[in-house]
Short mmCIF file of all heavy atoms in Angstrom, two decimals:
data_model
loop_
_atom_site.label_atom_id
_atom_site.label_comp_id
_atom_site.label_asym_id
_atom_site.label_seq_id
_atom_site.Cartn_x
_atom_site.Cartn_y
_atom_site.Cartn_z
N GLY A 76 0.76 -1.18 0.00
CA GLY A 76 0.00 -0.01 0.00
C GLY A 76 0.84 1.27 -0.04
O GLY A 76 0.26 2.34 0.00
N GLN A 77 2.16 1.19 -0.01
CA GLN A 77 2.99 2.37 0.00
C GLN A 77 3.63 2.57 -1.34
O GLN A 77 3.95 1.63 -2.06
CB GLN A 77 4.03 2.32 1.05
CG GLN A 77 3.47 2.37 2.47
CD GLN A 77 4.59 2.40 3.49
OE1 GLN A 77 5.74 2.18 3.19
NE2 GLN A 77 4.22 2.65 4.75
N MET A 78 3.83 3.82 -1.74
CA MET A 78 4.55 4.16 -2.95
C MET A 78 6.05 4.01 -2.76
O MET A 78 6.54 4.27 -1.67
CB MET A 78 4.27 5.58 -3.40
CG MET A 78 2.84 5.83 -3.80
SD MET A 78 2.68 7.59 -4.02
CE MET A 78 2.02 7.76 -5.54
N THR A 79 6.71 3.57 -3.81
CA THR A 79 8.15 3.41 -3.78
C THR A 79 8.71 4.04 -5.09
O THR A 79 8.21 3.71 -6.19
CB THR A 79 8.56 1.95 -3.72
OG1 THR A 79 7.99 1.35 -2.53
CG2 THR A 79 10.09 1.80 -3.67
N ARG A 80 9.69 4.90 -4.96
CA ARG A 80 10.27 5.48 -6.12
C ARG A 80 11.06 4.37 -6.92
O ARG A 80 11.83 3.65 -6.38
CB ARG A 80 11.24 6.61 -5.79
CG ARG A 80 11.86 7.25 -7.00
CD ARG A 80 12.70 8.43 -6.65
NE ARG A 80 13.77 7.99 -5.74
CZ ARG A 80 14.86 8.71 -5.54
NH1 ARG A 80 15.01 9.85 -6.10
NH2 ARG A 80 15.74 8.25 -4.67
N VAL A 81 10.80 4.32 -8.25
CA VAL A 81 11.46 3.33 -9.08
C VAL A 81 12.41 3.96 -10.08
O VAL A 81 13.15 3.29 -10.73
CB VAL A 81 10.50 2.44 -9.83
CG1 VAL A 81 9.65 1.58 -8.86
CG2 VAL A 81 9.58 3.25 -10.73
N GLY A 82 12.43 5.30 -10.08
CA GLY A 82 13.38 5.99 -10.97
C GLY A 82 12.86 7.32 -11.44
O GLY A 82 11.85 7.79 -10.93
N HIS A 83 13.54 7.93 -12.38
CA HIS A 83 13.17 9.20 -13.01
C HIS A 83 12.88 8.98 -14.47
O HIS A 83 13.45 8.15 -15.08
CB HIS A 83 14.26 10.23 -12.83
CG HIS A 83 14.48 10.66 -11.41
ND1 HIS A 83 15.38 10.07 -10.58
CD2 HIS A 83 13.89 11.64 -10.72
CE1 HIS A 83 15.34 10.63 -9.40
NE2 HIS A 83 14.42 11.62 -9.46
N GLN A 84 11.96 9.75 -15.02
CA GLN A 84 11.58 9.65 -16.44
C GLN A 84 11.54 11.04 -17.05
O GLN A 84 10.91 11.92 -16.53
CB GLN A 84 10.18 9.00 -16.52
CG GLN A 84 9.67 8.90 -17.97
CD GLN A 84 10.47 7.87 -18.75
OE1 GLN A 84 10.74 6.79 -18.28
NE2 GLN A 84 10.80 8.19 -19.98
N ASP A 85 12.26 11.20 -18.12
CA ASP A 85 12.16 12.43 -18.89
C ASP A 85 10.78 12.55 -19.47
O ASP A 85 10.23 11.57 -19.87
CB ASP A 85 13.24 12.42 -20.02
CG ASP A 85 13.35 13.74 -20.73
OD1 ASP A 85 12.45 14.08 -21.53
OD2 ASP A 85 14.34 14.45 -20.47
N THR A 86 10.24 13.77 -19.48
CA THR A 86 8.87 13.97 -19.96
C THR A 86 8.80 14.09 -21.47
O THR A 86 7.67 14.21 -22.03
CB THR A 86 8.24 15.21 -19.35
OG1 THR A 86 8.95 16.37 -19.76
CG2 THR A 86 8.22 15.15 -17.84
N GLY A 87 9.92 14.07 -22.17
CA GLY A 87 9.88 14.17 -23.59
C GLY A 87 9.58 15.54 -24.15
O GLY A 87 9.25 15.68 -25.32
N GLY A 88 9.68 16.53 -23.32
CA GLY A 88 9.39 17.90 -23.76
C GLY A 88 9.89 18.92 -22.75
O GLY A 88 10.62 18.61 -21.85
N SER A 89 9.43 20.15 -22.92
CA SER A 89 9.91 21.26 -22.09
C SER A 89 8.79 21.75 -21.24
O SER A 89 7.70 22.04 -21.72
CB SER A 89 10.45 22.38 -23.00
OG SER A 89 10.86 23.48 -22.19
N TRP A 90 9.07 21.92 -19.94
CA TRP A 90 8.18 22.50 -18.97
C TRP A 90 6.92 21.63 -18.75
O TRP A 90 5.79 22.02 -19.13
CB TRP A 90 7.80 23.91 -19.31
CG TRP A 90 7.31 24.74 -18.19
CD1 TRP A 90 6.04 24.91 -17.76
CD2 TRP A 90 8.11 25.44 -17.24
NE1 TRP A 90 5.97 25.67 -16.67
CE2 TRP A 90 7.28 26.07 -16.30
CE3 TRP A 90 9.47 25.63 -17.11
CZ2 TRP A 90 7.72 26.84 -15.26
CZ3 TRP A 90 9.90 26.45 -16.05
CH2 TRP A 90 9.06 27.01 -15.15
N PRO A 91 7.09 20.45 -18.13
CA PRO A 91 5.92 19.62 -17.88
C PRO A 91 4.93 20.34 -16.96
O PRO A 91 5.32 20.83 -15.91
CB PRO A 91 6.55 18.37 -17.19
CG PRO A 91 7.87 18.77 -16.76
CD PRO A 91 8.33 19.86 -17.65
N ARG A 92 3.74 20.53 -17.41
CA ARG A 92 2.77 21.36 -16.73
C ARG A 92 1.74 20.53 -15.94
O ARG A 92 1.30 20.94 -14.87
CB ARG A 92 2.06 22.24 -17.75
CG ARG A 92 1.02 23.18 -17.19
CD ARG A 92 1.67 24.27 -16.43
NE ARG A 92 0.66 25.21 -16.02
CZ ARG A 92 0.87 26.25 -15.25
NH1 ARG A 92 2.09 26.49 -14.87
NH2 ARG A 92 -0.09 27.01 -14.93
N HIS A 93 1.35 19.40 -16.48
CA HIS A 93 0.37 18.57 -15.84
C HIS A 93 0.46 17.15 -16.35
O HIS A 93 1.03 16.91 -17.41
CB HIS A 93 -1.05 19.13 -16.16
CG HIS A 93 -2.12 18.68 -15.22
ND1 HIS A 93 -2.92 17.61 -15.55
CD2 HIS A 93 -2.49 19.09 -14.03
CE1 HIS A 93 -3.78 17.43 -14.56
NE2 HIS A 93 -3.56 18.25 -13.61
N PHE A 94 -0.08 16.21 -15.57
CA PHE A 94 -0.09 14.79 -16.09
C PHE A 94 -1.43 14.17 -15.66
O PHE A 94 -2.08 14.62 -14.75
CB PHE A 94 1.12 14.02 -15.60
CG PHE A 94 1.06 13.63 -14.16
CD1 PHE A 94 0.50 12.45 -13.72
CD2 PHE A 94 1.60 14.51 -13.23
CE1 PHE A 94 0.48 12.14 -12.40
CE2 PHE A 94 1.54 14.23 -11.86
CZ PHE A 94 1.01 12.98 -11.45
N GLY A 95 -1.75 13.09 -16.35
CA GLY A 95 -2.95 12.33 -16.00
C GLY A 95 -2.69 10.84 -16.26
O GLY A 95 -1.94 10.48 -17.17
N ILE A 96 -3.31 10.02 -15.44
CA ILE A 96 -3.22 8.57 -15.59
C ILE A 96 -4.62 8.08 -15.99
O ILE A 96 -5.60 8.47 -15.37
CB ILE A 96 -2.78 7.88 -14.26
CG1 ILE A 96 -1.36 8.36 -13.95
CG2 ILE A 96 -2.78 6.38 -14.46
CD1 ILE A 96 -0.88 7.85 -12.60
N ASP A 97 -4.69 7.21 -17.03
CA ASP A 97 -5.99 6.80 -17.51
C ASP A 97 -6.63 5.90 -16.44
O ASP A 97 -5.96 5.36 -15.53
CB ASP A 97 -5.89 6.04 -18.84
CG ASP A 97 -5.46 4.58 -18.69
OD1 ASP A 97 -4.42 4.30 -18.11
OD2 ASP A 97 -6.20 3.71 -19.15
N PRO A 98 -7.97 5.70 -16.46
CA PRO A 98 -8.67 4.97 -15.44
C PRO A 98 -8.22 3.52 -15.25
O PRO A 98 -8.38 2.93 -14.17
CB PRO A 98 -10.12 5.01 -15.88
CG PRO A 98 -10.19 6.25 -16.70
CD PRO A 98 -8.92 6.32 -17.38
N THR A 99 -7.62 2.91 -16.31
CA THR A 99 -7.16 1.51 -16.20
C THR A 99 -5.81 1.43 -15.50
O THR A 99 -5.39 0.38 -15.08
CB THR A 99 -7.01 0.85 -17.55
OG1 THR A 99 -5.94 1.50 -18.28
CG2 THR A 99 -8.28 0.91 -18.36
N GLY A 100 -5.11 2.56 -15.37
CA GLY A 100 -3.80 2.58 -14.74
C GLY A 100 -2.68 2.09 -15.69
O GLY A 100 -1.59 1.93 -15.28
N ARG A 101 -3.02 1.98 -16.96
CA ARG A 101 -2.05 1.44 -17.96
C ARG A 101 -1.24 2.53 -18.66
O ARG A 101 -0.21 2.22 -19.23
CB ARG A 101 -2.75 0.56 -18.95
CG ARG A 101 -3.34 -0.70 -18.31
CD ARG A 101 -4.14 -1.53 -19.28
NE ARG A 101 -3.59 -1.56 -20.62
CZ ARG A 101 -4.29 -1.69 -21.75
NH1 ARG A 101 -5.61 -1.85 -21.65
NH2 ARG A 101 -3.70 -1.73 -22.92
N PHE A 102 -1.79 3.76 -18.68
CA PHE A 102 -1.15 4.82 -19.48
C PHE A 102 -1.07 6.12 -18.66
O PHE A 102 -1.94 6.44 -17.92
CB PHE A 102 -1.94 5.07 -20.72
CG PHE A 102 -2.05 3.85 -21.64
CD1 PHE A 102 -3.21 3.12 -21.63
CD2 PHE A 102 -0.98 3.45 -22.44
CE1 PHE A 102 -3.31 1.95 -22.40
CE2 PHE A 102 -1.10 2.32 -23.21
CZ PHE A 102 -2.25 1.55 -23.20
N LEU A 103 0.02 6.85 -18.92
CA LEU A 103 0.24 8.18 -18.31
C LEU A 103 0.47 9.17 -19.45
O LEU A 103 1.13 8.85 -20.40
CB LEU A 103 1.49 8.13 -17.39
CG LEU A 103 1.86 9.45 -16.74
CD1 LEU A 103 2.13 9.18 -15.27
CD2 LEU A 103 3.05 10.09 -17.39
N TYR A 104 -0.13 10.36 -19.33
CA TYR A 104 -0.05 11.41 -20.32
C TYR A 104 0.52 12.66 -19.66
O TYR A 104 0.07 13.06 -18.58
CB TYR A 104 -1.42 11.70 -20.91
CG TYR A 104 -2.04 10.47 -21.50
CD1 TYR A 104 -2.93 9.72 -20.77
CD2 TYR A 104 -1.79 10.08 -22.81
CE1 TYR A 104 -3.49 8.56 -21.24
CE2 TYR A 104 -2.39 8.94 -23.35
CZ TYR A 104 -3.22 8.18 -22.57
OH TYR A 104 -3.76 7.03 -23.10
N VAL A 105 1.50 13.27 -20.32
CA VAL A 105 2.20 14.47 -19.77
C VAL A 105 2.02 15.61 -20.74
O VAL A 105 2.36 15.47 -21.92
CB VAL A 105 3.66 14.22 -19.54
CG1 VAL A 105 4.39 15.50 -19.00
CG2 VAL A 105 3.91 13.07 -18.54
N GLY A 106 1.53 16.74 -20.23
CA GLY A 106 1.43 17.97 -21.08
C GLY A 106 2.67 18.84 -20.87
O GLY A 106 2.95 19.25 -19.73
N ASN A 107 3.47 19.02 -21.91
CA ASN A 107 4.67 19.84 -21.88
C ASN A 107 4.33 21.20 -22.47
O ASN A 107 4.23 21.35 -23.65
CB ASN A 107 5.82 19.15 -22.64
CG ASN A 107 6.27 17.87 -21.98
OD1 ASN A 107 6.70 17.85 -20.83
ND2 ASN A 107 6.14 16.76 -22.67
N GLN A 108 4.21 22.18 -21.59
CA GLN A 108 3.69 23.52 -22.01
C GLN A 108 4.55 24.25 -22.99
O GLN A 108 4.04 24.79 -23.98
CB GLN A 108 3.44 24.38 -20.76
CG GLN A 108 2.73 25.64 -21.07
CD GLN A 108 2.32 26.41 -19.80
OE1 GLN A 108 2.79 26.08 -18.72
NE2 GLN A 108 1.54 27.45 -19.97
N LEU A 109 5.86 24.31 -22.78
CA LEU A 109 6.69 25.13 -23.64
C LEU A 109 7.11 24.42 -24.95
O LEU A 109 7.49 25.11 -25.89
CB LEU A 109 7.96 25.59 -22.88
CG LEU A 109 7.69 26.51 -21.69
CD1 LEU A 109 9.02 26.98 -21.05
CD2 LEU A 109 6.85 27.71 -22.09
N SER A 110 6.98 23.13 -25.01
CA SER A 110 7.29 22.43 -26.26
C SER A 110 6.04 22.06 -27.02
O SER A 110 6.09 21.44 -28.07
CB SER A 110 8.10 21.19 -26.05
OG SER A 110 7.47 20.29 -25.15
N ASP A 111 4.84 22.49 -26.50
CA ASP A 111 3.55 22.26 -27.15
C ASP A 111 3.31 20.80 -27.51
O ASP A 111 2.99 20.46 -28.63
CB ASP A 111 3.42 23.13 -28.40
CG ASP A 111 3.41 24.64 -28.10
OD1 ASP A 111 2.99 24.98 -27.03
OD2 ASP A 111 3.83 25.40 -28.92
N THR A 112 3.49 19.90 -26.54
CA THR A 112 3.33 18.48 -26.80
C THR A 112 2.59 17.81 -25.62
O THR A 112 2.64 18.26 -24.43
CB THR A 112 4.65 17.75 -26.97
OG1 THR A 112 5.48 17.93 -25.84
CG2 THR A 112 5.36 18.20 -28.23
N ILE A 113 1.92 16.72 -25.91
CA ILE A 113 1.47 15.75 -24.95
C ILE A 113 2.15 14.45 -25.28
O ILE A 113 2.14 13.98 -26.44
CB ILE A 113 -0.03 15.60 -24.93
CG1 ILE A 113 -0.72 16.91 -24.48
CG2 ILE A 113 -0.46 14.42 -24.04
CD1 ILE A 113 -2.24 16.85 -24.48
N VAL A 114 2.85 13.86 -24.27
CA VAL A 114 3.58 12.64 -24.50
C VAL A 114 2.90 11.50 -23.73
O VAL A 114 2.53 11.69 -22.55
CB VAL A 114 5.04 12.79 -24.02
CG1 VAL A 114 5.85 11.52 -24.25
CG2 VAL A 114 5.68 13.96 -24.76
N SER A 115 2.67 10.40 -24.37
CA SER A 115 2.01 9.23 -23.71
C SER A 115 3.07 8.20 -23.37
O SER A 115 4.04 8.01 -24.06
CB SER A 115 0.96 8.65 -24.62
OG SER A 115 1.51 8.24 -25.88
N PHE A 116 2.82 7.54 -22.25
CA PHE A 116 3.68 6.49 -21.72
C PHE A 116 2.86 5.32 -21.33
O PHE A 116 1.77 5.45 -20.79
CB PHE A 116 4.45 6.98 -20.47
CG PHE A 116 5.36 8.14 -20.67
CD1 PHE A 116 4.90 9.44 -20.58
CD2 PHE A 116 6.70 7.95 -21.01
CE1 PHE A 116 5.77 10.53 -20.78
CE2 PHE A 116 7.60 9.05 -21.18
CZ PHE A 116 7.10 10.32 -21.08
N ALA A 117 3.40 4.13 -21.53
CA ALA A 117 2.80 2.91 -20.96
C ALA A 117 3.39 2.69 -19.58
O ALA A 117 4.58 2.93 -19.38
CB ALA A 117 3.10 1.65 -21.85
N ILE A 118 2.54 2.30 -18.64
CA ILE A 118 3.00 2.04 -17.26
C ILE A 118 3.10 0.51 -17.11
O ILE A 118 2.10 -0.20 -17.30
CB ILE A 118 1.97 2.58 -16.22
CG1 ILE A 118 1.78 4.11 -16.41
CG2 ILE A 118 2.46 2.24 -14.82
CD1 ILE A 118 0.67 4.68 -15.57
N ASP A 119 4.24 0.00 -16.78
CA ASP A 119 4.43 -1.38 -16.54
C ASP A 119 3.78 -1.77 -15.20
O ASP A 119 4.16 -1.24 -14.17
CB ASP A 119 5.95 -1.77 -16.51
CG ASP A 119 6.19 -3.24 -16.37
OD1 ASP A 119 6.14 -3.70 -15.18
OD2 ASP A 119 6.39 -3.92 -17.37
N ALA A 120 2.84 -2.70 -15.22
CA ALA A 120 2.09 -3.02 -13.99
C ALA A 120 2.98 -3.66 -12.92
O ALA A 120 2.72 -3.46 -11.76
CB ALA A 120 0.95 -3.95 -14.36
N ALA A 121 3.94 -4.39 -13.33
CA ALA A 121 4.79 -5.09 -12.38
C ALA A 121 5.83 -4.17 -11.70
O ALA A 121 6.04 -4.25 -10.49
CB ALA A 121 5.48 -6.26 -13.02
N SER A 122 6.48 -3.34 -12.53
CA SER A 122 7.60 -2.50 -11.97
C SER A 122 7.25 -1.07 -11.78
O SER A 122 7.92 -0.37 -11.05
CB SER A 122 8.78 -2.62 -12.93
OG SER A 122 8.46 -1.97 -14.16
N GLY A 123 6.23 -0.55 -12.47
CA GLY A 123 5.86 0.84 -12.38
C GLY A 123 6.67 1.73 -13.29
O GLY A 123 6.50 2.94 -13.33
N THR A 124 7.59 1.11 -14.10
CA THR A 124 8.40 1.90 -15.02
C THR A 124 7.57 2.40 -16.20
O THR A 124 6.52 1.80 -16.49
CB THR A 124 9.63 1.09 -15.49
OG1 THR A 124 9.16 -0.05 -16.14
CG2 THR A 124 10.54 0.79 -14.35
N LEU A 125 8.04 3.41 -16.84
CA LEU A 125 7.32 4.02 -18.00
C LEU A 125 8.08 3.74 -19.26
O LEU A 125 9.30 3.78 -19.33
CB LEU A 125 7.18 5.54 -17.76
CG LEU A 125 6.46 6.01 -16.50
CD1 LEU A 125 6.51 7.51 -16.41
CD2 LEU A 125 5.03 5.49 -16.47
N THR A 126 7.28 3.53 -20.35
CA THR A 126 7.86 3.44 -21.69
C THR A 126 7.16 4.45 -22.56
O THR A 126 5.93 4.45 -22.63
CB THR A 126 7.60 2.00 -22.26
OG1 THR A 126 8.18 1.04 -21.39
CG2 THR A 126 8.14 1.86 -23.64
N GLU A 127 7.97 5.30 -23.17
CA GLU A 127 7.37 6.38 -24.05
C GLU A 127 6.74 5.72 -25.26
O GLU A 127 7.37 4.87 -25.93
CB GLU A 127 8.46 7.40 -24.42
CG GLU A 127 7.90 8.55 -25.16
CD GLU A 127 8.93 9.62 -25.44
OE1 GLU A 127 9.86 9.78 -24.59
OE2 GLU A 127 8.82 10.34 -26.43
N LEU A 128 5.52 6.18 -25.60
CA LEU A 128 4.79 5.61 -26.72
C LEU A 128 4.66 6.56 -27.89
O LEU A 128 4.97 6.22 -29.03
CB LEU A 128 3.39 5.20 -26.32
CG LEU A 128 3.29 4.12 -25.22
CD1 LEU A 128 1.83 3.90 -24.82
CD2 LEU A 128 3.90 2.83 -25.75
N ALA A 129 4.27 7.79 -27.64
CA ALA A 129 3.99 8.74 -28.73
C ALA A 129 4.02 10.18 -28.23
O ALA A 129 3.80 10.43 -27.02
CB ALA A 129 2.62 8.43 -29.35
N THR A 130 4.25 11.09 -29.14
CA THR A 130 4.23 12.53 -28.88
C THR A 130 3.26 13.17 -29.80
O THR A 130 3.25 12.95 -31.01
CB THR A 130 5.62 13.14 -29.08
OG1 THR A 130 6.55 12.50 -28.16
CG2 THR A 130 5.61 14.65 -28.76
N THR A 131 2.34 13.99 -29.24
CA THR A 131 1.29 14.66 -30.04
C THR A 131 1.48 16.14 -29.88
O THR A 131 1.57 16.65 -28.74
CB THR A 131 -0.11 14.25 -29.53
OG1 THR A 131 -0.20 12.80 -29.64
CG2 THR A 131 -1.19 14.88 -30.41
N ALA A 132 1.51 16.86 -30.99
CA ALA A 132 1.67 18.34 -30.95
C ALA A 132 0.29 18.93 -30.63
O ALA A 132 -0.75 18.59 -31.18
CB ALA A 132 2.14 18.84 -32.29
N VAL A 133 0.27 19.87 -29.68
CA VAL A 133 -0.87 20.63 -29.28
C VAL A 133 -0.44 22.06 -28.97
O VAL A 133 0.77 22.32 -28.81
CB VAL A 133 -1.62 19.99 -28.07
CG1 VAL A 133 -2.17 18.64 -28.38
CG2 VAL A 133 -0.71 19.97 -26.87
N ALA A 134 -1.38 22.96 -28.79
CA ALA A 134 -1.02 24.37 -28.49
C ALA A 134 -1.01 24.58 -26.99
O ALA A 134 -2.05 24.68 -26.34
CB ALA A 134 -2.05 25.31 -29.15
N GLY A 135 0.23 24.70 -26.44
CA GLY A 135 0.43 25.07 -25.04
C GLY A 135 -0.42 24.36 -24.02
O GLY A 135 -1.19 25.01 -23.29
N PRO A 136 -0.28 23.02 -23.89
CA PRO A 136 -1.16 22.31 -22.92
C PRO A 136 -0.83 22.78 -21.50
O PRO A 136 0.34 22.89 -21.08
CB PRO A 136 -0.76 20.86 -23.09
CG PRO A 136 0.66 20.93 -23.61
CD PRO A 136 0.70 22.16 -24.45
N ALA A 137 -1.87 23.08 -20.72
CA ALA A 137 -1.73 23.46 -19.30
C ALA A 137 -2.42 22.47 -18.41
O ALA A 137 -2.25 22.47 -17.19
CB ALA A 137 -2.30 24.86 -19.09
N PHE A 138 -3.22 21.58 -19.00
CA PHE A 138 -4.00 20.57 -18.22
C PHE A 138 -4.17 19.33 -19.07
O PHE A 138 -4.41 19.43 -20.28
CB PHE A 138 -5.37 21.15 -17.83
CG PHE A 138 -6.24 20.12 -17.19
CD1 PHE A 138 -6.10 19.84 -15.87
CD2 PHE A 138 -7.22 19.49 -17.91
CE1 PHE A 138 -6.90 18.89 -15.22
CE2 PHE A 138 -8.09 18.53 -17.29
CZ PHE A 138 -7.89 18.26 -15.97
N VAL A 139 -4.02 18.17 -18.50
CA VAL A 139 -4.27 16.92 -19.14
C VAL A 139 -5.35 16.18 -18.40
O VAL A 139 -5.19 15.87 -17.20
CB VAL A 139 -2.97 16.02 -19.20
CG1 VAL A 139 -3.27 14.67 -19.78
CG2 VAL A 139 -1.86 16.75 -19.92
N GLY A 140 -6.49 15.99 -19.03
CA GLY A 140 -7.60 15.31 -18.43
C GLY A 140 -7.83 13.96 -19.07
O GLY A 140 -7.67 13.85 -20.28
N VAL A 141 -8.15 12.96 -18.31
CA VAL A 141 -8.40 11.61 -18.82
C VAL A 141 -9.85 11.23 -18.42
O VAL A 141 -10.17 11.31 -17.27
CB VAL A 141 -7.39 10.60 -18.33
CG1 VAL A 141 -7.64 9.26 -18.88
CG2 VAL A 141 -5.97 11.07 -18.64
N VAL A 142 -10.61 10.83 -19.37
CA VAL A 142 -12.02 10.51 -19.11
C VAL A 142 -12.29 9.01 -19.29
O VAL A 142 -11.81 8.39 -20.21
CB VAL A 142 -12.96 11.27 -20.11
CG1 VAL A 142 -14.39 10.93 -19.88
CG2 VAL A 142 -12.71 12.78 -19.96
N ASP A 143 -13.04 8.43 -18.37
CA ASP A 143 -13.38 7.01 -18.44
C ASP A 143 -14.73 6.95 -19.16
O ASP A 143 -15.78 7.28 -18.56
CB ASP A 143 -13.49 6.44 -17.05
CG ASP A 143 -13.75 4.94 -17.09
OD1 ASP A 143 -13.61 4.33 -18.10
OD2 ASP A 143 -14.07 4.42 -15.99
N LEU A 144 -14.76 6.56 -20.43
CA LEU A 144 -15.98 6.47 -21.20
C LEU A 144 -16.60 5.06 -21.07
O LEU A 144 -15.87 4.10 -21.08
CB LEU A 144 -15.71 6.78 -22.68
CG LEU A 144 -15.18 8.20 -22.97
CD1 LEU A 144 -14.84 8.32 -24.43
CD2 LEU A 144 -16.21 9.21 -22.56
N PRO A 145 -17.92 4.97 -21.01
CA PRO A 145 -18.53 3.66 -20.91
C PRO A 145 -18.38 2.87 -22.26
O PRO A 145 -18.26 3.52 -23.30
CB PRO A 145 -20.01 3.99 -20.62
CG PRO A 145 -20.21 5.37 -21.08
CD PRO A 145 -18.86 6.07 -20.94
N GLU A 146 -18.37 1.59 -22.16
CA GLU A 146 -18.30 0.73 -23.39
C GLU A 146 -19.60 1.00 -24.18
O GLU A 146 -20.66 1.11 -23.64
CB GLU A 146 -18.20 -0.73 -22.98
CG GLU A 146 -16.90 -1.10 -22.32
CD GLU A 146 -15.67 -1.00 -23.21
OE1 GLU A 146 -15.81 -1.30 -24.41
OE2 GLU A 146 -14.59 -0.63 -22.73
N PRO A 147 -19.44 0.98 -25.56
CA PRO A 147 -20.66 1.22 -26.41
C PRO A 147 -21.56 0.00 -26.39
O PRO A 147 -21.25 -1.05 -26.09
CB PRO A 147 -20.05 1.43 -27.79
CG PRO A 147 -18.65 0.99 -27.75
CD PRO A 147 -18.23 0.94 -26.30
#
């Protein structure tokens, strides 16, 4: 039940402003305000380490929100 630091992860951009974890706990998204990007990471369930997946260009992200949508 306690958190343990497993390492440091570069956010893939400049000035990380906010982050969000999806409801499944499998993905983390970071908004990098000065580089105008949102970077997605996979979260390893066993170790908690992150693997960078993709970078998406956006205009100055200041907030990253993740929504749990119901199945269709």
Side-chain angles (χ1 to χ4, degrees):
Q77 293 185 348
M78 293 170 128
T79 302
R80 182 176 59 162
V81 296
H83 291 91
Q84 178 70 44
D85 188 284
T86 64
S89 179
W90 202 266
R92 181 70 176 177
H93 198 263
F94 72 92
I96 298 174
D97 83 303
T99 69
R101 295 175 37 209
F102 302 99
L103 178 133
Y104 304 92
V105 178
N107 294 299
Q108 188 173 10
L109 296 183
S110 58
D111 294 333
T112 58
I113 293 180
V114 181
S115 59
F116 297 88
I118 302 171
D119 183 278
S122 67
T124 58
L125 302 175
T126 301
E127 188 173 329
L128 298 174
T130 300
T131 303
V133 296
F138 173 79
V139 176
V141 181
V142 178
D143 186 13
L144 297 175
E146 293 292 324

